[in-house]
Amino acid sequence: MSIKYKFIDFFKHYRFNSVLFVNFIKIFAVIMVLGCFFVVYMYKSLFYAALDEFINFNRDYTNRIANSYDVIMEEIKYMTYNLSVDTDVNMYAIQSDEVLKTGQVEIKLIEKLKLYKMSIKYIDSIYIYSEKYGRLCTHVESKKIKDFSDMNWYENYKSCEPGKTKIFARKINNVYPRVITFLFRTNLYGGDYAVVVNVDTVSLDNLINKQAEDNMTDTYIIDENNNIIYSKNASDFCKPVYGHIAEIINNSNKIIKDNMKTYIGEVRAVKNIDWKYVCITHLN
């Protein structure tokens, strides 16, 4: 009988009762279990390594955004103060209509405000308001405040203490553009007046785009009332935080899941104001 038929005959008699076969199955099972454990271990190791990379990326991105915006915020605050002590602004704010009747002070101030606006590209407009004489000068014209259409900053002026700056979001004429307004009120030289600088949030997109390395990360600026001051979605403007944004702000955990999606978030305080930068990276 050939070896082939002897093997077949042996297999027919012993089949699964063979010690060799049983040992083979045991060894194979052990190898499979160890292999599964190894695959799971490698998967988790690679997953958490990748997760750490995303967390570090998001932290670095948030820091870059925050540093850039902090510079802008401080620059605008410094500019409002400098304008408040400017000689032409003082003349416009505290001198009577009789003194200003030649129009030379107004013309000079308009040109100065126009220069400021042109030199800082994200400025939408600048107002100088004199409460004593009820007049307002922009980079375009000077007129009585009763004839000025954009007035939804005025309530903040009334509640602002002299020597203080208020920063708030609004829409010019309650319509457009969407701006962040810096209002500095002063009673210098016996006058009561304000410098109002409106920063166009759309222009700030350019800054975000320069910092962005992909389209996976969304950037938000949140005010002290948890309203959205900046978002790439225009419909979010001045609305309360929602969904995963609210969770990131209110949760110390940087990784959250919302509607079957995973997000990594980073929150950083805005310098010298009770606002927050929030950067959220989408993992799927």
Side-chain angles (χ1 to χ4, degrees):
M1 185 182 291
S2 67
I3 295 176
K4 175 181 177 182
Y5 288 110
K6 284 182 179 180
F7 180 80
I8 293 173
D9 184 62
F10 176 83
F11 185 76
K12 285 180 179 178
H13 280 86
Y14 294 97
R15 293 189 179 180
F16 300 120
N17 293 322
S18 168
V19 174
L20 181 63
F21 184 79
V22 171
N23 288 338
F24 171 77
I25 292 299
K26 287 180 179 178
I27 293 171
F28 181 76
V30 170
I31 293 173
M32 288 299 293
V33 170
L34 291 176
C36 288
F37 274 117
F38 178 75
V39 169
V40 171
Y41 171 77
M42 289 301 297
Y43 171 78
K44 285 190 173 181
S45 297
L46 292 173
F47 174 78
Y48 285 113
L51 204 57
D52 285 341
E53 285 297 317
F54 276 113
I55 290 173
N56 291 333
F57 162 80
N58 206 46
R59 183 186 300 116
D60 292 342
Y61 177 80
T62 305
N63 287 336
R64 292 200 306 271
I65 290 294
N67 291 337
S68 298
Y69 268 100
D70 281 346
V71 169
I72 289 176
M73 298 287 245
E74 291 301 307
E75 180 182 27
I76 299 300
K77 287 171 68 176
Y78 184 69
M79 188 188 80
T80 58
Y81 174 76
N82 275 351
L83 277 172
S84 73
V85 297
D86 181 85
T87 302
D88 296 322
V89 172
N90 296 155
M91 285 285 291
Y92 180 82
I94 65 178
Q95 296 296 333
S96 67
D97 291 338
E98 181 66 23
V99 174
L100 302 185
K101 65 181 180 180
T102 61
Q104 292 303 309
V105 171
E106 294 168 327
I107 291 171
K108 190 175 179 181
L109 181 56
I110 289 170
E111 290 302 314
K112 179 169 289 187
L113 298 182
K114 191 179 297 182
L115 183 62
Y116 270 98
K117 183 183 183 306
M118 291 174 60
S119 62
I120 304 178
K121 58 188 175 182
Y122 42 79
I123 290 180
D124 173 78
S125 50
I126 305 172
Y127 308 156
I128 306 298
Y129 169 58
S130 170
E131 181 175 10
K132 185 175 182 179
Y133 295 106
R135 57 179 174 239
L136 187 145
C137 186
T138 73
H139 63 284
V140 177
E141 61 184 343
S142 173
K143 59 171 64 176
K144 291 295 184 181
I145 195 167
K146 63 182 179 63
D147 300 321
F148 195 66
S149 58
D150 177 37
M151 289 299 297
N152 61 357
W153 53 272
Y154 188 70
E155 289 301 317
N156 282 282
Y157 166 79
K158 291 195 294 185
S159 61
C160 184
E161 297 178 20
K164 300 291 184 181
T165 300
K166 292 194 78 170
I167 306 174
F168 50 94
R170 66 190 187 93
K171 295 178 182 178
I172 301 289
N173 291 318
N174 290 316
V175 181
Y176 188 85
R178 302 177 299 276
V179 297
I180 298 174
T181 294
F182 292 70
L183 188 154
F184 181 78
R185 182 174 181 175
T186 182
N187 53 12
L188 191 65
Y189 305 123
D192 198 352
Y193 58 97
V195 177
V196 181
V197 178
N198 300 304
V199 176
D200 185 4
T201 59
V202 175
S203 297
L204 294 178
D205 280 335
N206 294 329
L207 175 61
I208 296 291
N209 293 334
K210 286 180 181 178
Q211 300 293 340
E213 297 177 2
D214 55 52
N215 58 2
M216 295 170 58
T217 303
D218 293 330
T219 303
Y220 305 89
I221 300 178
I222 312 299
D223 73 5
E224 69 276 12
N225 298 314
N226 273 352
N227 293 321
I228 299 171
I229 301 306
Y230 173 83
S231 166
K232 69 179 182 181
N233 298 317
S235 59
D236 287 343
F237 188 71
C238 285
K239 289 185 178 179
V241 293
Y242 57 86
H244 61 284
I245 308 172
E247 282 198 56
I248 289 293
I249 292 173
N250 299 322
N251 196 336
S252 58
N253 190 358
K254 295 180 180 180
I255 305 171
I256 64 164
K257 291 188 176 181
D258 183 46
N259 292 330
M260 304 301 292
K261 294 182 179 180
T262 304
Y263 303 92
I264 294 177
E266 189 74 28
V267 180
R268 178 170 160 177
V270 178
K271 186 178 179 181
N272 297 328
I273 181 174
D274 190 20
W275 288 12
K276 294 177 281 288
Y277 303 110
V278 180
C279 294
I280 301 176
T281 299
H282 307 248
L283 293 188
N284 53 8

